[in-house]
Amino acid sequence: MEQHTIIWRGVRIEITFTPNAFGMVDHIELRSEGRAPLPVTETGYRSHFMCKGTVAEHGGAVAFVTAWLDHEAARTAWGGAQLSLF
């Protein structure tokens, strides 16, 4: 298991990556500081399983997550967390 911390567009994100989880898949968990919404989760938490080797093919957990967030932000025209006044 690997753990990483990145700052993406001003949001601190904890990444936990488990390669070959259960002997068959890669697993990524994301947790944003303060449960800030991200383009891949409204709650600030995301658990995601994918084919074994996918993360390595994308250059590792940090590169994979950064590309994933960038892709989804562009695809959804994500503008960041919407703050409430109340």
Side-chain angles (χ1 to χ4, degrees):
M1 181 173 58
E2 300 174 15
Q3 294 187 318
H4 306 276
T5 301
I6 64 171
I7 306 296
W8 183 80
R9 297 190 184 183
V11 178
R12 181 184 173 99
I13 303 169
E14 301 292 330
I15 302 167
T16 302
F17 170 54
T18 306
N20 201 20
F22 312 113
M24 64 177 104
V25 294
D26 285 348
H27 181 237
I28 290 266
E29 282 184 286
L30 305 178
R31 288 178 180 84
S32 65
E33 185 173 47
R35 298 185 182 211
L38 299 169
V40 297
T41 173
E42 293 178 6
T43 66
Y45 174 80
R46 176 75 186 257
S47 172
H48 185 71
F49 292 92
M50 68 218 81
C51 295
K52 182 170 62 173
T54 300
V55 172
E57 290 172 8
H58 287 85
V62 170
F64 176 86
V65 169
T66 302
W68 185 25
L69 292 169
D70 288 341
H71 173 79
E72 289 300 309
R75 187 181 70 77
T76 63
W78 188 80
Q82 182 138 10
L83 302 176
S84 172
L85 296 176
F86 306 97

Coordinates of all heavy atoms in Angstrom, one line a residue:
M1 N 0.8 -1.2 0.0 CA 0.0 0.0 0.0 C 0.9 1.2 0.0 O 1.9 1.3 0.7 CB -0.9 0.0 1.2 CG -1.8 1.2 1.3 SD -3.1 1.1 2.6 CE -2.1 1.0 4.0
E2 N 0.5 2.2 -0.8 CA 1.2 3.5 -0.8 C 0.3 4.6 -0.4 O -0.9 4.6 -0.6 CB 1.6 3.8 -2.3 CG 2.5 2.8 -3.0 CD 2.7 3.2 -4.4 OE1 2.4 4.3 -4.9 OE2 3.1 2.3 -5.2
Q3 N 0.9 5.6 0.3 CA 0.1 6.8 0.7 C 0.8 8.0 0.2 O 2.1 8.1 0.3 CB -0.1 6.8 2.2 CG -0.9 5.7 2.7 CD -1.3 5.8 4.2 OE1 -0.4 6.2 5.0 NE2 -2.5 5.6 4.5
H4 N 0.1 8.9 -0.4 CA 0.6 10.2 -1.0 C -0.3 11.3 -0.6 O -1.5 11.1 -0.4 CB 0.7 10.1 -2.5 CG 1.4 8.9 -3.0 ND1 2.8 8.9 -3.2 CD2 1.0 7.7 -3.4 CE1 3.2 7.7 -3.6 NE2 2.1 7.0 -3.8
T5 N 0.3 12.5 -0.6 CA -0.5 13.7 -0.4 C -0.2 14.7 -1.6 O 1.0 14.9 -1.9 CB -0.2 14.4 0.9 OG1 -0.4 13.5 2.0 CG2 -1.0 15.7 1.1
I6 N -1.2 15.2 -2.2 CA -1.1 16.2 -3.2 C -1.9 17.4 -2.9 O -2.8 17.3 -2.1 CB -1.4 15.6 -4.6 CG1 -2.9 15.3 -4.7 CG2 -0.6 14.4 -5.0 CD1 -3.4 14.9 -6.1
I7 N -1.5 18.5 -3.5 CA -2.4 19.7 -3.5 C -2.8 19.9 -5.0 O -2.0 20.1 -5.9 CB -1.6 21.0 -3.1 CG1 -0.9 20.7 -1.7 CG2 -2.5 22.2 -3.1 CD1 -1.9 20.5 -0.6
W8 N -4.1 19.8 -5.2 CA -4.7 19.9 -6.5 C -5.7 21.1 -6.5 O -6.6 21.1 -5.8 CB -5.5 18.6 -6.9 CG -6.0 18.7 -8.3 CD1 -5.4 18.4 -9.5 CD2 -7.4 18.9 -8.6 NE1 -6.2 18.6 -10.5 CE2 -7.5 18.9 -10.0 CE3 -8.5 19.3 -7.9 CZ2 -8.7 19.1 -10.7 CZ3 -9.7 19.5 -8.6 CH2 -9.8 19.4 -10.0
R9 N -5.3 22.1 -7.3 CA -6.1 23.3 -7.4 C -6.4 23.9 -6.0 O -7.5 24.3 -5.7 CB -7.4 23.1 -8.2 CG -7.1 22.8 -9.6 CD -8.3 22.8 -10.5 NE -8.0 22.3 -11.8 CZ -8.8 22.3 -12.8 NH1 -10.1 22.7 -12.6 NH2 -8.5 21.8 -14.0
G10 N -5.4 23.9 -5.1 CA -5.6 24.4 -3.8 C -6.2 23.5 -2.7 O -6.4 23.9 -1.6
V11 N -6.5 22.3 -3.1 CA -7.2 21.3 -2.2 C -6.2 20.2 -1.9 O -5.6 19.6 -2.8 CB -8.4 20.7 -2.8 CG1 -9.1 19.7 -1.9 CG2 -9.5 21.8 -3.2
R12 N -6.0 20.0 -0.6 CA -5.1 18.9 -0.1 C -5.9 17.6 -0.2 O -7.0 17.5 0.3 CB -4.7 19.2 1.3 CG -3.7 18.2 1.9 CD -3.5 18.5 3.4 NE -2.7 17.5 4.0 CZ -1.4 17.5 4.2 NH1 -0.7 18.6 3.8 NH2 -0.8 16.5 4.8
I13 N -5.2 16.6 -0.9 CA -5.9 15.3 -1.1 C -4.9 14.2 -0.6 O -3.8 14.2 -1.0 CB -6.2 15.1 -2.6 CG1 -7.1 16.3 -3.1 CG2 -6.8 13.8 -2.8 CD1 -7.3 16.3 -4.6
E14 N -5.4 13.4 0.2 CA -4.7 12.2 0.6 C -5.1 11.0 -0.3 O -6.3 10.8 -0.6 CB -5.1 11.8 2.1 CG -4.8 12.9 3.1 CD -3.4 13.1 3.3 OE1 -2.6 12.2 3.2 OE2 -3.0 14.3 3.7
I15 N -4.1 10.4 -0.9 CA -4.3 9.3 -1.8 C -3.7 8.0 -1.1 O -2.6 8.0 -0.6 CB -3.5 9.5 -3.1 CG1 -3.9 10.8 -3.8 CG2 -3.6 8.3 -4.0 CD1 -3.0 11.2 -4.9
T16 N -4.6 7.0 -1.1 CA -4.1 5.6 -0.7 C -4.3 4.7 -1.9 O -5.3 4.6 -2.5 CB -5.0 5.1 0.5 OG1 -4.9 6.0 1.6 CG2 -4.4 3.7 1.0
F17 N -3.2 4.1 -2.3 CA -3.2 3.2 -3.4 C -2.7 1.8 -3.0 O -1.7 1.6 -2.4 CB -2.2 3.8 -4.5 CG -1.9 2.8 -5.6 CD1 -3.0 2.3 -6.4 CD2 -0.6 2.4 -6.0 CE1 -2.7 1.4 -7.4 CE2 -0.4 1.6 -7.0 CZ -1.5 1.0 -7.7
T18 N -3.6 0.9 -3.4 CA -3.3 -0.5 -3.1 C -3.2 -1.3 -4.4 O -4.2 -1.5 -5.1 CB -4.3 -1.2 -2.2 OG1 -4.5 -0.4 -1.0 CG2 -3.9 -2.6 -1.8
P19 N -2.0 -1.5 -4.9 CA -1.9 -2.3 -6.2 C -2.2 -3.7 -5.9 O -2.0 -4.3 -4.9 CB -0.4 -2.1 -6.6 CG 0.3 -1.9 -5.3 CD -0.7 -1.2 -4.4
N20 N -2.8 -4.4 -6.9 CA -3.1 -5.8 -6.9 C -3.9 -6.2 -5.6 O -3.7 -7.2 -5.0 CB -1.8 -6.6 -6.9 CG -2.0 -8.0 -7.4 OD1 -3.0 -8.3 -8.0 ND2 -1.0 -8.8 -7.0
A21 N -4.9 -5.3 -5.3 CA -5.8 -5.6 -4.2 C -6.6 -6.9 -4.5 O -7.1 -7.1 -5.6 CB -6.8 -4.4 -3.9
F22 N -6.7 -7.7 -3.5 CA -7.4 -9.0 -3.6 C -6.8 -9.9 -4.7 O -7.5 -10.8 -5.2 CB -8.9 -8.8 -3.8 CG -9.5 -7.8 -2.9 CD1 -10.0 -6.6 -3.4 CD2 -9.6 -8.0 -1.6 CE1 -10.6 -5.7 -2.6 CE2 -10.2 -7.1 -0.7 CZ -10.7 -5.9 -1.2
G23 N -5.6 -9.6 -5.1 CA -4.9 -10.4 -6.1 C -5.5 -10.2 -7.5 O -5.1 -10.9 -8.4
M24 N -6.3 -9.1 -7.7 CA -6.9 -9.0 -9.0 C -7.1 -7.5 -9.5 O -7.4 -7.3 -10.7 CB -8.1 -9.8 -9.1 CG -9.2 -9.3 -8.2 SD -10.7 -10.3 -8.4 CE -10.7 -11.3 -7.0
V25 N -7.1 -6.5 -8.7 CA -7.5 -5.2 -9.1 C -6.6 -4.2 -8.4 O -5.9 -4.5 -7.4 CB -9.0 -4.8 -8.8 CG1 -9.9 -5.6 -9.6 CG2 -9.2 -5.0 -7.3
D26 N -6.5 -3.0 -8.9 CA -5.9 -1.8 -8.3 C -7.0 -1.1 -7.5 O -8.1 -1.0 -8.0 CB -5.2 -0.9 -9.2 CG -3.9 -1.4 -9.8 OD1 -3.4 -2.4 -9.3 OD2 -3.4 -0.8 -10.8
H27 N -6.6 -0.5 -6.4 CA -7.6 0.3 -5.6 C -7.0 1.6 -5.2 O -5.9 1.7 -4.7 CB -8.0 -0.5 -4.3 CG -9.0 0.2 -3.5 ND1 -8.8 0.5 -2.2 CD2 -10.3 0.6 -3.8 CE1 -9.9 1.1 -1.7 NE2 -10.8 1.2 -2.7
I28 N -7.8 2.7 -5.5 CA -7.4 4.0 -5.1 C -8.5 4.6 -4.1 O -9.7 4.4 -4.4 CB -7.3 5.0 -6.3 CG1 -6.2 4.6 -7.2 CG2 -7.3 6.4 -6.0 CD1 -4.9 5.4 -7.0
E29 N -8.0 5.2 -3.1 CA -8.9 6.0 -2.2 C -8.5 7.4 -2.1 O -7.3 7.7 -2.0 CB -8.9 5.4 -0.8 CG -9.7 4.2 -0.6 CD -9.7 3.7 0.9 OE1 -8.7 3.2 1.3 OE2 -10.7 3.9 1.5
L30 N -9.4 8.3 -2.3 CA -9.1 9.8 -2.2 C -9.9 10.3 -1.0 O -11.1 10.0 -0.8 CB -9.6 10.5 -3.4 CG -9.1 10.0 -4.8 CD1 -9.7 10.8 -5.9 CD2 -7.6 10.1 -4.8
R31 N -9.2 11.2 -0.2 CA -9.8 12.0 0.9 C -9.4 13.4 0.8 O -8.2 13.7 0.9 CB -9.4 11.4 2.2 CG -10.0 10.0 2.5 CD -9.5 9.5 3.9 NE -10.1 8.2 4.2 CZ -9.6 7.1 3.7 NH1 -8.6 7.0 3.0 NH2 -10.2 5.9 4.1
S32 N -10.3 14.3 0.6 CA -9.9 15.7 0.5 C -10.0 16.4 1.9 O -10.9 16.0 2.7 CB -10.8 16.5 -0.5 OG -12.1 16.5 -0.1
E33 N -9.1 17.3 2.1 CA -9.1 18.0 3.4 C -10.5 18.8 3.5 O -10.9 19.4 2.6 CB -8.0 19.0 3.4 CG -7.8 19.7 4.7 CD -6.5 20.5 4.7 OE1 -6.3 21.3 3.8 OE2 -5.8 20.4 5.7
G34 N -11.0 18.6 4.7 CA -12.3 19.3 5.0 C -13.5 18.8 4.2 O -14.5 19.4 4.0
R35 N -13.3 17.6 3.6 CA -14.3 17.0 2.8 C -14.7 17.8 1.6 O -15.9 17.9 1.2 CB -15.5 16.6 3.6 CG -15.2 15.5 4.6 CD -16.4 15.1 5.3 NE -16.1 14.2 6.4 CZ -16.8 13.2 6.8 NH1 -18.0 13.0 6.2 NH2 -16.4 12.4 7.7
A36 N -13.7 18.6 1.1 CA -14.0 19.5 -0.1 C -14.4 18.6 -1.3 O -13.8 17.6 -1.6 CB -12.8 20.3 -0.4
P37 N -15.5 19.1 -2.0 CA -15.9 18.3 -3.2 C -14.7 18.3 -4.2 O -13.9 19.3 -4.3 CB -17.1 19.1 -3.7 CG -17.5 20.0 -2.6 CD -16.3 20.2 -1.7
L38 N -14.7 17.3 -5.0 CA -13.8 17.2 -6.1 C -14.6 16.8 -7.4 O -15.7 16.3 -7.3 CB -12.7 16.1 -5.8 CG -11.9 16.3 -4.6 CD1 -11.1 15.1 -4.3 CD2 -10.9 17.5 -4.9
P39 N -14.0 16.8 -8.6 CA -14.7 16.5 -9.8 C -15.1 15.0 -9.8 O -16.0 14.6 -10.5 CB -13.8 16.8 -10.9 CG -12.7 17.6 -10.4 CD -12.7 17.4 -8.9
V40 N -14.5 14.2 -8.9 CA -14.9 12.7 -8.9 C -15.7 12.4 -7.7 O -16.0 11.2 -7.5 CB -13.6 11.9 -9.0 CG1 -12.9 12.1 -10.4 CG2 -12.7 12.1 -7.9
T41 N -16.0 13.3 -6.8 CA -16.8 13.0 -5.6 C -17.3 14.3 -5.0 O -16.6 15.3 -4.9 CB -15.9 12.3 -4.5 OG1 -16.7 12.2 -3.3 CG2 -14.6 13.0 -4.2
E42 N -18.6 14.3 -4.7 CA -19.2 15.5 -4.0 C -18.9 15.5 -2.5 O -19.0 16.5 -1.9 CB -20.7 15.5 -4.3 CG -21.0 15.7 -5.7 CD -22.5 15.7 -5.9 OE1 -23.3 15.6 -5.0 OE2 -22.9 15.7 -7.1
T43 N -18.5 14.4 -2.0 CA -18.3 14.2 -0.5 C -16.9 14.4 0.0 O -16.7 14.4 1.2 CB -18.9 12.8 0.0 OG1 -18.0 11.8 -0.6 CG2 -20.3 12.6 -0.4
G44 N -16.0 14.4 -1.0 CA -14.6 14.5 -0.6 C -13.9 13.2 -0.3 O -12.8 13.1 0.1
Y45 N -14.7 12.1 -0.5 CA -14.1 10.7 -0.4 C -14.5 9.9 -1.6 O -15.6 10.0 -2.1 CB -14.7 10.0 0.8 CG -14.3 8.5 0.9 CD1 -13.0 8.2 1.3 CD2 -15.1 7.5 0.4 CE1 -12.6 6.9 1.4 CE2 -14.7 6.2 0.4 CZ -13.4 5.9 0.9 OH -13.0 4.6 0.9
R46 N -13.6 9.1 -2.1 CA -13.9 8.3 -3.3 C -13.0 7.0 -3.2 O -11.8 7.1 -2.9 CB -13.5 9.0 -4.6 CG -13.7 8.2 -5.9 CD -15.1 8.0 -6.2 NE -15.3 7.1 -7.3 CZ -15.6 7.5 -8.6 NH1 -15.7 8.8 -8.9 NH2 -15.8 6.6 -9.5
S47 N -13.7 5.9 -3.3 CA -13.0 4.6 -3.4 C -13.2 4.1 -4.8 O -14.4 4.1 -5.3 CB -13.6 3.6 -2.4 OG -13.2 2.3 -2.6
H48 N -12.2 3.7 -5.5 CA -12.3 3.3 -6.9 C -11.4 2.1 -7.2 O -10.2 2.1 -6.9 CB -11.9 4.5 -7.8 CG -12.0 4.4 -9.2 ND1 -13.3 4.3 -9.8 CD2 -11.1 4.2 -10.2 CE1 -13.1 4.2 -11.1 NE2 -11.9 4.1 -11.4
F49 N -12.0 1.1 -7.8 CA -11.3 -0.1 -8.2 C -11.2 -0.1 -9.7 O -12.0 0.4 -10.5 CB -12.1 -1.4 -7.9 CG -12.2 -1.6 -6.4 CD1 -13.2 -1.1 -5.6 CD2 -11.2 -2.3 -5.7 CE1 -13.3 -1.3 -4.3 CE2 -11.3 -2.6 -4.4 CZ -12.3 -2.1 -3.6
M50 N -10.0 -0.5 -10.2 CA -9.8 -0.6 -11.7 C -8.9 -1.8 -12.0 O -8.4 -2.5 -11.1 CB -9.1 0.7 -12.2 CG -7.7 0.9 -11.7 SD -7.4 2.6 -11.3 CE -8.1 2.8 -9.7
C51 N -8.8 -2.1 -13.3 CA -8.0 -3.3 -13.7 C -6.5 -3.2 -13.1 O -6.0 -2.1 -13.1 CB -7.9 -3.3 -15.2 SG -9.5 -3.7 -16.0
K52 N -6.0 -4.3 -12.7 CA -4.7 -4.4 -12.2 C -3.7 -3.8 -13.3 O -3.8 -4.2 -14.4 CB -4.3 -5.9 -11.9 CG -3.0 -6.1 -11.3 CD -2.8 -7.5 -10.8 CE -3.0 -8.5 -11.9 NZ -2.6 -9.9 -11.4
G53 N -2.8 -3.0 -12.8 CA -1.8 -2.4 -13.7 C -2.1 -1.1 -14.3 O -1.3 -0.4 -14.9
T54 N -3.4 -0.7 -14.2 CA -3.8 0.6 -14.7 C -3.1 1.8 -14.2 O -2.6 2.7 -14.9 CB -5.3 0.8 -14.5 OG1 -6.0 -0.3 -15.1 CG2 -5.8 2.1 -15.1
V55 N -2.9 1.8 -12.9 CA -2.2 2.9 -12.2 C -0.7 3.0 -12.7 O -0.2 4.1 -13.0 CB -2.3 2.8 -10.7 CG1 -1.5 3.9 -10.0 CG2 -3.8 3.0 -10.3
A56 N -0.1 1.9 -12.7 CA 1.3 1.8 -13.2 C 1.5 2.3 -14.6 O 2.4 3.0 -15.0 CB 1.9 0.4 -13.0
E57 N 0.5 1.9 -15.5 CA 0.5 2.4 -16.9 C 0.4 3.9 -17.0 O 0.8 4.5 -18.0 CB -0.6 1.7 -17.6 CG -0.5 0.3 -17.9 CD -1.7 -0.4 -18.5 OE1 -2.7 0.3 -18.9 OE2 -1.7 -1.6 -18.5
H58 N -0.1 4.5 -16.0 CA -0.3 6.0 -16.0 C 0.8 6.7 -15.2 O 0.7 7.9 -14.9 CB -1.7 6.4 -15.5 CG -2.8 6.1 -16.5 ND1 -3.4 4.9 -16.6 CD2 -3.3 6.9 -17.4 CE1 -4.3 4.9 -17.5 NE2 -4.3 6.1 -18.1
G59 N 1.8 6.0 -14.8 CA 3.0 6.6 -14.1 C 2.9 6.7 -12.6 O 3.6 7.4 -12.0
G60 N 2.0 5.9 -12.0 CA 1.9 5.8 -10.6 C 0.7 6.5 -10.1 O -0.1 7.2 -10.8
A61 N 0.4 6.4 -8.7 CA -0.8 6.9 -8.1 C -1.0 8.4 -8.3 O -2.0 8.9 -8.6 CB -0.8 6.5 -6.7
V62 N 0.1 9.2 -8.0 CA 0.0 10.6 -8.1 C -0.3 11.1 -9.5 O -1.2 11.9 -9.7 CB 1.3 11.3 -7.6 CG1 1.2 12.8 -7.8 CG2 1.4 11.1 -6.1
A63 N 0.4 10.5 -10.5 CA 0.1 10.9 -11.9 C -1.3 10.5 -12.3 O -2.0 11.2 -13.0 CB 1.2 10.3 -12.8
F64 N -1.7 9.3 -11.9 CA -3.0 8.8 -12.2 C -4.1 9.7 -11.7 O -5.0 10.1 -12.4 CB -3.2 7.4 -11.7 CG -4.6 6.8 -12.0 CD1 -4.9 6.2 -13.2 CD2 -5.6 6.9 -11.0 CE1 -6.2 5.8 -13.5 CE2 -6.9 6.5 -11.3 CZ -7.2 5.9 -12.5
V65 N -4.0 10.0 -10.4 CA -5.1 10.8 -9.7 C -5.1 12.2 -10.3 O -6.2 12.8 -10.6 CB -4.9 10.8 -8.2 CG1 -5.8 11.9 -7.5 CG2 -5.2 9.4 -7.6
T66 N -4.0 12.8 -10.5 CA -3.9 14.2 -11.1 C -4.5 14.2 -12.4 O -5.4 15.1 -12.7 CB -2.4 14.7 -11.1 OG1 -1.9 14.6 -9.8 CG2 -2.4 16.1 -11.7
A67 N -4.2 13.2 -13.3 CA -4.8 13.2 -14.6 C -6.3 12.9 -14.6 O -7.1 13.5 -15.3 CB -4.1 12.1 -15.5
W68 N -6.7 12.1 -13.7 CA -8.1 11.7 -13.5 C -8.9 13.0 -13.1 O -10.0 13.3 -13.7 CB -8.3 10.6 -12.5 CG -9.6 10.1 -12.2 CD1 -10.7 10.1 -13.0 CD2 -10.1 9.4 -11.0 NE1 -11.8 9.5 -12.4 CE2 -11.4 9.1 -11.2 CE3 -9.4 9.1 -9.8 CZ2 -12.1 8.4 -10.2 CZ3 -10.1 8.4 -8.8 CH2 -11.5 8.1 -9.0
L69 N -8.4 13.7 -12.1 CA -9.1 15.0 -11.6 C -9.1 16.0 -12.7 O -10.1 16.6 -13.0 CB -8.4 15.5 -10.4 CG -8.5 14.7 -9.1 CD1 -7.5 15.2 -8.0 CD2 -9.9 14.6 -8.6
D70 N -8.0 16.2 -13.4 CA -7.9 17.2 -14.5 C -8.9 16.8 -15.6 O -9.6 17.7 -16.1 CB -6.5 17.3 -15.1 CG -5.5 18.0 -14.2 OD1 -6.0 18.7 -13.3 OD2 -4.3 17.8 -14.4
H71 N -9.0 15.5 -16.0 CA -9.9 15.1 -17.0 C -11.3 15.3 -16.6 O -12.1 15.9 -17.4 CB -9.6 13.6 -17.3 CG -10.6 13.0 -18.2 ND1 -10.6 13.2 -19.6 CD2 -11.8 12.3 -18.0 CE1 -11.6 12.6 -20.2 NE2 -12.3 12.0 -19.2
E72 N -11.7 14.9 -15.4 CA -13.1 15.1 -15.0 C -13.5 16.6 -14.8 O -14.6 17.0 -15.1 CB -13.4 14.3 -13.7 CG -13.4 12.8 -13.9 CD -14.5 12.4 -14.9 OE1 -15.6 12.8 -14.8 OE2 -14.1 11.6 -15.9
A73 N -12.5 17.4 -14.4 CA -12.8 18.8 -14.2 C -13.0 19.4 -15.6 O -14.0 20.2 -15.7 CB -11.6 19.5 -13.5
A74 N -12.3 19.0 -16.6 CA -12.5 19.6 -17.9 C -13.8 19.1 -18.5 O -14.5 19.8 -19.2 CB -11.3 19.2 -18.8
R75 N -14.1 17.8 -18.3 CA -15.3 17.2 -18.9 C -16.5 17.7 -18.3 O -17.5 17.9 -19.0 CB -15.2 15.6 -18.6 CG -16.3 14.8 -19.3 CD -16.2 13.4 -19.0 NE -16.6 13.1 -17.6 CZ -17.8 13.1 -17.1 NH1 -18.8 13.3 -17.9 NH2 -18.0 12.8 -15.8
T76 N -16.5 18.1 -17.1 CA -17.8 18.5 -16.4 C -17.8 20.1 -16.2 O -18.7 20.6 -15.6 CB -17.9 17.9 -15.0 OG1 -16.8 18.3 -14.2 CG2 -18.0 16.4 -15.1
A77 N -16.8 20.7 -16.7 CA -16.6 22.2 -16.5 C -16.7 22.5 -15.0 O -17.3 23.5 -14.6 CB -17.7 23.0 -17.3
W78 N -16.0 21.7 -14.3 CA -16.0 21.8 -12.8 C -15.3 23.1 -12.4 O -14.2 23.4 -12.8 CB -15.3 20.6 -12.2 CG -15.3 20.5 -10.7 CD1 -16.4 20.1 -10.0 CD2 -14.3 20.9 -9.8 NE1 -16.1 20.1 -8.7 CE2 -14.8 20.6 -8.5 CE3 -13.0 21.4 -9.9 CZ2 -14.1 20.8 -7.4 CZ3 -12.3 21.6 -8.8 CH2 -12.8 21.3 -7.5
G79 N -16.0 23.9 -11.6 CA -15.4 25.2 -11.2 C -14.9 25.2 -9.7 O -14.5 26.3 -9.3
G80 N -15.0 24.1 -9.0 CA -14.5 24.1 -7.7 C -15.7 24.0 -6.7 O -16.9 23.9 -7.1
A81 N -15.4 24.0 -5.5 CA -16.4 23.8 -4.4 C -17.3 25.1 -4.4 O -16.8 26.2 -4.4 CB -15.7 23.6 -3.1
Q82 N -18.6 24.9 -4.3 CA -19.5 26.0 -4.2 C -19.7 26.2 -2.7 O -20.1 25.3 -2.0 CB -20.8 25.7 -4.8 CG -21.8 26.8 -4.7 CD -22.5 27.0 -6.0 OE1 -22.4 26.2 -6.9 NE2 -23.2 28.1 -6.1
L83 N -19.4 27.4 -2.2 CA -19.6 27.7 -0.8 C -21.0 28.3 -0.5 O -21.5 29.0 -1.4 CB -18.5 28.8 -0.4 CG -17.1 28.4 -0.7 CD1 -16.1 29.5 -0.3 CD2 -16.7 27.1 0.1
S84 N -21.5 28.0 0.6 CA -22.8 28.4 1.0 C -22.6 29.6 2.0 O -21.7 29.7 2.8 CB -23.5 27.3 1.8 OG -24.7 27.8 2.3
L85 N -23.5 30.6 1.9 CA -23.4 31.8 2.7 C -24.2 31.5 4.0 O -24.1 32.3 5.0 CB -24.0 33.0 2.0 CG -23.3 33.4 0.8 CD1 -24.1 34.6 0.1 CD2 -21.9 33.9 1.1
F86 N -24.9 30.4 4.1 CA -25.7 30.1 5.3 C -25.4 28.7 5.8 O -25.1 27.8 5.2 CB -27.2 30.2 4.9 CG -27.6 31.5 4.4 CD1 -27.7 31.7 3.0 CD2 -27.8 32.6 5.2 CE1 -28.0 32.9 2.4 CE2 -28.1 33.9 4.6 CZ -28.2 34.0 3.3

